[in-house]
């Protein structure tokens, strides 16, 4: 190994965890096939029907290990104030001592896999290298889909390249001893006692968001929980947009939007660059350019169907790992919302027989498909472009049954930062907490910001000052406003292209808008809804700004911002005060 620091670190971790063997992952087809076979032989993978799902597998996690665990996720910065009020903090020395005990001998009898990977296109100046040391072949198989893994990353590292470190050990999967611990000052994550998703695939939330947000702060860029898409109009003009929504607000569906027939016939197109994470840096022309650091999708299965998201369904047809979905007797997969009636007999996500009389879902609500992005029919031909995509619009959004209009535009970057800082969503049944309760989730980064949230907002404001006139426009959308009977006003899915169209027009300095106390709104006629079966009154309701409702919203935002005390950038307090006076 030419990279002495990497070799020394591998030796040190092996000295502590005592694996029976060490295997360097090269990313090759042959090594991947061997690891998949090993997983099949060990019963951790079930091979799916090779005709219907070539090279695809079903995995089942421990039933106590089925989702990210925010209460067991720690930011171990030097001072508690560096982590801020929205993160769990523990002193680095204390956390290192706890983890050292848990890791001591934890890989005995197992193989330690060394997984070097690149986040971002291999030739891109925006990309970064990570290395995960793991005793889980399941994690290796997933990382091979989610990242550019193996020799390509070692080549980029050379003899002395910088890399982010991840140590992962399955240990005993004990939830009480589960720790997802980040050490921003060491560019290091250590994860123990989980083998699921965001807790174990350390490239994703741990590196590409929590650690990267700290690197981004220090290096003058943005690491964001955002999809990236390209909207092409009939004239062939492309508008690149990023969007940040909290979980369960349809981010993957928007990234892979299928335009309604009239739109596609006219030449409109939506192409995906990423569905979850965006890294945004300034280009030589002073604009912000975004790359998707990932190479795959870790998508929620339930609710995904050929009706709701055909692109995702095609993406996960082959070379895919399904986790915690149900198994049909023909060795294909099933989940709630896949379309059509449930089969009479299934094996559920726990491996138990499931019938139509069963009282529990056949697939776990957080069951997933890990699929290569390149297999998505609507993947943009530019998705691996080294320079990234020049972003014209940043969209924030949430699930709000009232108050928030369908779409509006921020008055400035500072006002847009305030919109992001105060954005919120109502809890769904899939999330912990009371259904319908409002949770503030700034920039959809609440569980993913690796430092003090108020310092993160300050960084956003600084980036905006640096970019000046060249910064993207900031917008807010809400697909979830309801009428008095509890029905959604907006049809959503592909029809949301009508909103993207207005956003693109605004970015070009076109598109009618009226200034309201909350920002720029489209007058009803500015939205192309002529062929949409929606009442004019519904459109007016979707775009209504109710002063009394907004005054209550401002008061609630004031208490939210007050949580950040002295650290709150004065610009954000000023924006809240200005909104309150505009509403009077
Ligand atoms: O539960 C998990 O470990 C997965 S969470 C996840 C996966 C893909 C994309 N986004 C998320 C998220 O929680 O935002
Ligand atoms: Mn996400």
């Amino acid at each position: 190994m030419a990279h002495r620091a990497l070799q020394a670190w591998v030796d040190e971790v092996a000295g502590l965890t005592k694996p029976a063997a060490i295997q360097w992952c090269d990313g090759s087809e042959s090594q991947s096939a061997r690891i998949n076979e090993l997983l099949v032989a060990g019963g951790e993978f079930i091979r799916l029907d090779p005709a219907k799902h070539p090279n695809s597998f079903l995995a089942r996690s421990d039933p106590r290990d089925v989702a990210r665990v925010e209460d067991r996720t720690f930011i171990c910065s030097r001072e508690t104030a560096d982590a801020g009020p929205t993160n769990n903090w523990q002193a680095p020395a204390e956390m290192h001592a706890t983890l050292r005990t848990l890791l001591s001998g934890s890989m005995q009898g197992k193989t330690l896999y060394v997984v070097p990977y690149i986040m971002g296109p291999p030739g891109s100046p925006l990309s970064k290298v990570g290395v995960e040391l793991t005793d889980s072949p399941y994690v290796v198989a997933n990382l091979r889909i989610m990242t550019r893994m193996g020799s390509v990353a070692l080549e980029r590292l050379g003899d002395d390249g910088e890399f982010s470190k991840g140590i992962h050990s399955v240990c005993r999967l004990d939830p009480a001893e589960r720790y997802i611990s980040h050490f921003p000052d060491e560019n290091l994550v250590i994860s123990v006692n989980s083998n699921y998703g965001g807790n174990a695939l350390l490239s994703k939330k741990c590196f590409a968001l929590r650690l990267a947000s700290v690197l981004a702060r220090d290096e003058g860029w943005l690491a964001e929980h955002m999809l990236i898409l390209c909207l092409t109009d009939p004239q062939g003009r492309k508008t690149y947009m990023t969007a940040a929504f909290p979980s369960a607000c349809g981010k993957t569906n928007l990234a892979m939007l299928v335009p309604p027939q009239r739109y596609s016939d006219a030449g409109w197109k939506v192409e995906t660059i990423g569905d979850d994470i965006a890294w945004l840096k300034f280009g030589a022309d002073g604009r912000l350019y975004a790359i998707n650091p990932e190479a795959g999708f870790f998508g929620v299965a339930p609710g995904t169907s050929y009706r709701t998201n055909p692109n995702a369904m095609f993406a996960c047809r082959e070379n895919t790992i399904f986790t915690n979905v149900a198994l049909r007797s023909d060795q294909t997969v099933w989940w709630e919302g896949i379309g059509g009636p449930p089969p009479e007999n299934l094996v559920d996500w726990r491996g138990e027989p499931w019938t139509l009389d069963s009282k529990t879902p056949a697939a776990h609500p957080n069951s997933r498909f890990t699929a290569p992005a390149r297999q998505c029919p609507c993947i943009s031909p530019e998705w691996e472009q080294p320079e990234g995509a020049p972003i014209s619009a940043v969209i924030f959004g949430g699930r709000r049954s009232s108050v928030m209009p369908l779409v509006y535009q921020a008055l400035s970057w500072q006002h847009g930062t305030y919109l992001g800082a105060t954005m919120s969503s109502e809890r769904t049944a899939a999330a912990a907490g009371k259904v319908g309760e409002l949770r503030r989730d700034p920039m959809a980064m609440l569980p993913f910001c690796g430092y003090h949230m108020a310092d993160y907002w300050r960084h956003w404001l600084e980036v905006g000052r640096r970019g000046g006139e060249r910064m993207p426009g900031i917008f807010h959308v809400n697909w979830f406003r309801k009428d008095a009977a509890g029905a959604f006003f907006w049809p959503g899915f592909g029809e949301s292209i009508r909103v993207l169209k207005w956003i693109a027009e605004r970015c070009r300095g076109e598109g009618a808008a009226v200034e309201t106390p909350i920002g720029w709104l489209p007058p009803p006629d500015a939205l192309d809804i002529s062929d949409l079966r929606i009442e004019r009154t519904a459109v007016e309701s979707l775009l209504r700004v109710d002063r009394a409702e907004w005054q209550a919203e401002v008061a609630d935002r004031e208490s939210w911002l007050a949580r950040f005390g002295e650290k709150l950038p004065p610009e954000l307090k000023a924006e809240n005060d200005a909104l309150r006076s505009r509403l009077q």
Side-chain angles (χ1 to χ4, degrees):
M1 161 47 33
H3 198 297
R4 283 164 60 186
L6 171 56
Q7 183 65 61
W9 177 59
V10 172
D11 293 344
E12 182 197 326
V13 173
L16 174 66
T17 57
K18 305 272 187 297
I22 298 179
Q23 183 168 346
W24 287 71
C25 296
D26 61 11
S28 65
E29 286 293 338
S30 55
Q31 193 184 61
S32 162
R34 277 199 301 280
I35 290 172
N36 290 343
E37 276 312 325
L38 185 88
L39 283 157
V40 171
E44 286 174 74
F45 265 5
I46 295 168
R47 190 180 284 282
L48 298 174
D49 178 341
K52 293 181 182 145
H53 284 298
N55 192 34
S56 298
F57 304 89
L58 167 64
R60 298 192 183 112
S61 73
D62 183 291
R64 301 165 305 165
D65 184 29
V66 291
R68 284 190 299 104
V69 281
E70 291 180 17
D71 57 329
R72 306 298 308 167
T73 298
F74 296 84
I75 302 296
C76 305
S77 35
R78 234 169 270 139
E79 306 289 335
T80 176
D82 298 331
T86 58
N87 282 313
N88 302 312
W89 177 84
Q90 232 185 70
E94 211 177 289
M95 181 62 87
H96 270 305
T98 304
L99 295 170
R100 180 161 274 279
T101 308
L102 292 167
L103 285 170
S104 189
S106 70
M107 299 189 186
Q108 272 169 20
K110 300 171 98 178
T111 297
L112 186 170
Y113 296 93
V114 182
V115 192
Y117 60 86
I118 305 182
M119 296 307 279
S124 171
L126 288 79
S127 300
K128 287 192 179 286
V129 175
V131 180
E132 178 163 348
L133 308 184
T134 176
D135 56 7
S136 165
Y138 166 81
V139 163
V140 177
N142 276 272
L143 285 177
R144 186 164 182 271
I145 298 172
M146 293 303 297
T147 69
R148 284 89 174 173
M149 176 254 258
S151 312
V152 66
L154 288 184
E155 278 156 28
R156 175 149 176 153
L157 260 187
D159 294 354
D160 58 359
E162 281 182 21
F163 62 97
S164 166
K165 296 175 184 166
I167 303 172
H168 168 247
S169 184
V170 170
C171 298
R172 290 175 295 117
L173 292 179
D174 179 357
E177 300 273 29
R178 192 164 290 159
Y179 291 95
I180 321 300
S181 302
H182 303 70
F183 301 87
D185 298 308
E186 299 167 65
N187 202 4
L188 167 72
V189 192
I190 304 180
S191 161
V192 293
N193 277 306
S194 172
N195 198 27
Y196 197 84
N199 302 331
L201 310 178
L202 303 185
S203 61
K204 193 170 178 61
K205 304 298 186 180
C206 299
F207 175 24
L209 288 176
R210 297 195 192 96
L211 291 182
S213 61
V214 175
L215 297 172
R217 174 199 64 191
D218 296 343
E219 297 169 4
W221 52 281
L222 297 169
E224 299 300 327
H225 188 202
M226 291 178 173
L227 66 85
I228 313 168
L229 64 78
C230 173
L231 176 73
T232 306
D233 71 12
Q235 291 77 48
R237 292 176 298 195
K238 290 171 184 266
T239 308
Y240 298 92
M241 309 178 182
T242 63
F245 304 155
S247 310
C249 291
K251 214 157 104 215
T252 301
N253 289 351
L254 184 65
M256 300 178 190
L257 182 150
V258 179
Q261 194 68 47
R262 181 172 73 84
Y263 268 71
S264 44
D265 288 350
W268 289 90
K269 219 167 31 177
V270 172
E271 288 164 321
T272 311
I273 294 179
D275 80 325
D276 195 38
I277 298 176
W279 284 357
L280 300 108
K281 297 191 188 177
F282 286 107
D285 60 358
R287 293 188 69 187
L288 271 187
Y289 285 74
I291 59 160
N292 171 9
E294 303 192 282
F297 306 126
F298 190 64
V300 181
T304 305
S305 69
Y306 283 102
R307 184 183 66 81
T308 60
N309 193 340
N311 289 307
M313 292 300 282
F314 286 117
C316 68
R317 205 189 80 81
E318 57 191 322
N319 306 311
T320 294
I321 300 165
F322 296 90
T323 304
N324 289 347
V325 302
L327 182 65
R328 302 173 68 130
S329 54
D330 64 351
Q331 301 297 101
T332 60
V333 288
W334 192 85
W335 50 76
E336 281 71 17
I338 197 172
E344 292 197 355
N345 289 294
L346 291 166
V347 179
D348 76 5
W349 68 276
R350 295 168 191 261
E352 302 291 339
W354 186 96
T355 65
L356 295 175
D357 296 330
S358 295
K359 299 280 183 289
T360 51
H364 188 277
N366 193 35
S367 54
R368 299 273 167 172
F369 55 83
T370 317
R374 66 182 143 75
Q375 291 180 186
C376 182
C378 64
I379 198 77
S380 160
E382 296 151 340
W383 83 285
E384 299 196 276
Q385 198 166 270
E387 67 273 27
I391 300 302
S392 297
V394 169
I395 306 173
F396 293 126
R399 177 182 285 269
R400 296 287 305 260
S401 50
S402 59
V403 188
M404 293 291 153
L406 177 64
V407 60
Y408 66 106
Q409 182 180 6
L411 302 167
S412 63
W413 181 266
Q414 176 173 304
H415 181 231
T417 303
Y418 160 78
L419 297 190
T422 54
M423 70 187 242
S424 60
S425 203
E426 287 155 16
R427 288 181 205 264
T428 62
K434 217 172 111 218
V435 173
E437 197 178 60
L438 208 62
R439 161 166 138 142
R440 300 266 161 212
D441 187 351
M443 285 83 169
M445 284 287 277
L446 189 67
F448 305 122
C449 183
Y451 60 108
H452 197 299
M453 190 58 83
D455 289 334
Y456 165 75
W457 295 335
R458 179 163 296 108
H459 179 55
W460 262 73
L461 294 167
E462 271 164 23
V463 166
R465 280 191 284 273
R466 178 171 161 199
E469 291 298 300
R470 314 231 68 188
M471 291 306 277
I474 299 185
F475 297 80
H476 188 283
V477 300
N478 174 28
W479 317 133
F480 302 97
R481 200 157 173 169
K482 288 180 178 171
D483 65 17
F488 292 117
F489 282 120
W490 185 245
F493 297 102
E495 305 299 352
S496 297
I497 196 169
R498 300 161 196 272
V499 174
L500 300 185
K501 175 176 179 282
W502 181 75
I503 290 175
E505 286 163 1
R506 294 295 297 163
C507 293
R508 284 199 305 274
E510 302 161 9
V514 282
E515 191 169 354
T516 76
I518 66 164
W520 295 97
L521 260 85
D525 294 336
L527 287 177
D528 176 29
I529 46 163
S530 50
D531 60 326
L532 199 58
R533 270 187 288 149
I534 181 169
E535 300 286 337
R536 168 98 186 174
T537 52
V539 179
E540 284 163 4
S541 299
L542 276 164
L543 297 171
R544 193 162 52 92
V545 178
D546 182 290
R547 266 172 209 271
E549 281 180 353
W550 270 92
Q551 277 159 350
E553 172 74 21
V554 169
D556 194 66
R557 288 179 180 186
E558 182 161 356
S559 334
W560 161 249
L561 294 174
R563 279 189 62 189
F564 299 89
E566 296 284 285
K567 281 232 181 194
L568 179 73
E571 294 91 336
L572 298 191
K573 171 149 181 25
E575 286 293 344
N576 206 51
D577 291 345
L579 173 57
R580 190 191 302 99
S581 11
R582 290 198 298 269
L583 285 164
Q584 267 156 19

